[in-house]
Amino acid sequence: MRWIWIDRIVEHEPGKKLVTVKNVSAAEEVVHDHFPAEGDLGPEPVMPNPLIVEGMAQTAGILVGHTGRFKEKVVLAKIKSATFHAAARPGMTLRHTATLLNFGTAGGSTAGVTELIDPHTGAVTPLAEIDLMFSHVDHNMAGLDFPEENFVFTGTLTAVFAGLEPMPESPA
Amino acid sequence: MAISKDEIFEKVQAILVEALGVDEDEVTPEAKIEADLGAESIDYLDILFHFEKEFGLKIDQAELRPEAVLSNEEYVKDGKITDAGMAKLKEEMPFADFSSLDASRDVEDFSDIFTVQVLVNFVEAKLAEQG
C-alpha cells in the first residue's frame, strides 16, 4: 500500500516545473486525531505538515523521475528546508508547485511552494516553502542490491500521471 | 579577473552554512565536513549542486569522492588502503591533503580527508580547469 498525497497533476513543464493539487477532506482519518479536543479546547482538524511535505515530495519526485525518463529509482534523500505559514484545514485545496533546480546522474534538487486555495472564494494564500533533494539510489548506494524493477514509480502513484507531458527526448 | 582564494572560501562557507545548517563560525578551514559539521553522504550531492550553481562548474560526484577506489580489492585490503590505493587516491584527488590518512591507512578515516579547506582547493582546481 502506498499513501498518495496528491490528487491530480494540473500543470507540467518537462524538466522545469510540475504543479499538483490535493483536496483536504474531513473524511480523511489523519485529520481525526490531529488535533483532538482537549480540556476546554474543541477539536482542530488540520492536515499534518509532514504529509504536506510528502505531497510535495511526490510532486517533485515525479518531476525528477520524468526528467530522467523514469529510468532511475528516485528517492527523497533530504528535506533541505520546510517552512510553514498556515494550517491546512478540511475543505481547502493544496497546490504544490515544484521547480527543478538541479539534475544530474546522482540525483536532483527542487524548490517547492505550497499554496492554500479556498475553492469557494478562489482566494490563494501561501502555506509553505519546501525544498527537497532526491537521489538516484542505484548511483549512490554502491554495493547495495536494489530490485531491478522501478519500485518508486509503480502502482497507485502512476494513477496521477494523467497530467504529465510526453517523455523528453533526452535527460535535461 | 580570477576569483581569489579568500572569495572562494567565503562562498564555500556560505554554501556549507546553508546546506548543512551550521553556524558560520563553525566553518573553519580545518573543520571536517562529516565529523565536525555533521554532513552525511547525501549532503555531498547538495554541496556539489551548490558549487555548480555558484561557480558555474560542471562536476561529477566521483571527482570529489572517488568511491570506486575504495570498493576495489586491489586498493583496499582488510579495511586498510594499500600502497597502490594511496597512489590512486592521490592521483585522483590532487586537491586533498593525505598526511593523516597516510599514517592510519584506515578506510574508515577516508571521510576525514574532506575538510573545508579541501573543498576550497577542489573548487579552485575545477575553476582552473573549466574557468
Side-chain angles (χ1 to χ4, degrees), chain A residues 33-44:
Chain A
D33 294 319
H34 190 272
F35 298 90
E38 195 178 337
D40 295 338
L41 296 171
E44 178 129 25

Side-chain angles (χ1 to χ4, degrees), chain A residues 53-150:
Chain A
V53 173
E54 173 62 23
M56 176 59 81
Q58 290 174 359
T59 304
I62 293 170
L63 174 64
V64 172
H66 184 276
T67 305
R69 310 175 86 190
F70 294 118
K71 287 185 174 164
E72 304 286 352
K73 301 174 184 87
V74 176
V75 296
L76 178 63
K78 176 173 169 179
I79 300 168
K80 294 178 67 172
S81 65
T83 310
F84 286 82
H85 310 290
R89 295 191 163 80
M92 301 296 271
T93 298
L94 305 184
R95 180 165 62 199
H96 298 295
T97 301
T99 308
L100 193 67
L101 295 180
N102 297 91
F103 182 83
T105 51
S109 68
T110 59
V113 173
T114 300
E115 296 158 305
L116 210 49
I117 303 171
D118 184 329
H120 179 60
T121 65
V124 180
T125 49
L127 177 67
E129 290 89 42
I130 304 167
D131 296 343
L132 304 173
M133 275 208 60
F134 295 86
S135 176
H136 292 151
V137 287
D138 291 335
H139 287 273
N140 299 319
M141 305 277 182
L144 290 180
D145 280 332
F146 283 94
E148 272 304 304
E149 75 272 15
N150 197 324

